[in-house]
Amino acid sequence: MVVAGAIGLVWLGMVLGISFLEAPLKFRAPGVTVALGLGIGRLVFAALNKVEVVLALGVWVALIVSSGSAGTLGAAGAVSLVLVAQLAAVRPALNRRSDRVLAGEEGPRSHAHLWYVGLEVLKVAGLVVLGVFALG
């Protein structure tokens, strides 16, 4: 289970670094327009999400091989469900919204971003729990 915990903590660090540090800061950098920030964000989050899928699979393989405890399996399941929700429901809505913004359309702000952030908070909590159960 140590391997699953280590993978989970690497995943946690990536989410914290990108979602809660890089993403908000890029829009404060001099010369970064909304269009440029959205373009960068789409690339960064597409890459992050691909890596997250690989990390989730790694966690599951490690838990299956090591006969993970109920706590680690529950945490891994919760984090995996959050990731699936982000990829299947929220990211497509965010992509559609950013497509419209990049095309110059004005309009009401999307609530999808708030959903994504809320799910990121749940994912962070789940990854902390996974690490505690797997390494504790």
Side-chain angles (χ1 to χ4, degrees):
M1 283 196 302
V2 171
V3 173
I7 294 170
L9 293 178
V10 167
W11 186 358
L12 173 65
M14 293 182 74
V15 170
L16 290 172
I18 292 173
S19 294
F20 296 102
L21 189 60
E22 181 276 337
L25 287 179
K26 81 172 152 270
F27 288 100
R28 293 191 174 115
V32 175
T33 63
V34 171
L36 180 59
L38 285 175
I40 293 168
R42 284 174 70 156
L43 285 172
V44 169
F45 278 93
L48 173 64
N49 292 152
K50 287 175 186 162
V51 171
E52 286 184 292
V53 168
V54 171
L55 292 171
L57 292 172
V59 165
W60 281 106
V61 167
L63 289 176
I64 290 167
V65 168
S66 67
S67 299
S69 68
T72 55
L73 292 171
V79 170
S80 297
L81 286 174
V82 168
L83 180 60
V84 167
Q86 287 178 307
L87 297 179
V90 184
R91 285 278 303 169
L94 287 172
N95 286 339
R96 286 190 299 274
R97 172 68 178 147
S98 63
D99 285 342
R100 289 192 305 271
V101 171
L102 292 171
E105 288 183 31
E106 301 271 335
R109 296 183 75 92
S110 170
H111 294 290
H113 185 258
L114 297 175
W115 279 104
Y116 195 88
V117 172
L119 289 170
E120 285 290 77
V121 170
L122 291 175
K123 189 183 340 174
V124 164
L127 288 168
V128 169
V129 170
L130 173 64
V132 168
F133 276 115
L135 300 174

